[in-house]
Amino acid sequence: MSSAGCGVHSAYIVDRGGAVVTPADTLVSVEWTRILDDVSTAHVVINPDGD
């Protein structure tokens, strides 16, 4: 049975080469915008578990 609402999100800190540095398990806040034919923006605050 499916339900409406928020799904499961996951986030990772990734270096420019694509390698995962650490998972971002504790998302403090996430905000993003998507505007058609414009630049998208995001602001994320996390508490990573890694060094």
Side-chain angles (χ1 to χ4, degrees):
M1 177 176 183
S2 61
S3 63
C6 183
V8 176
H9 294 93
S10 59
Y12 301 90
I13 297 174
V14 180
D15 68 14
R16 288 182 187 245
V20 174
V21 175
T22 186
D25 292 327
T26 306
L27 297 172
V28 177
S29 69
V30 178
E31 178 183 338
W32 68 88
T33 62
R34 257 187 86 85
I35 301 170
L36 183 62
D37 298 329
D38 202 352
V39 175
S40 299
T41 61
H43 177 80
V44 179
V45 178
I46 62 169
N47 289 331
D49 289 336
D51 293 335

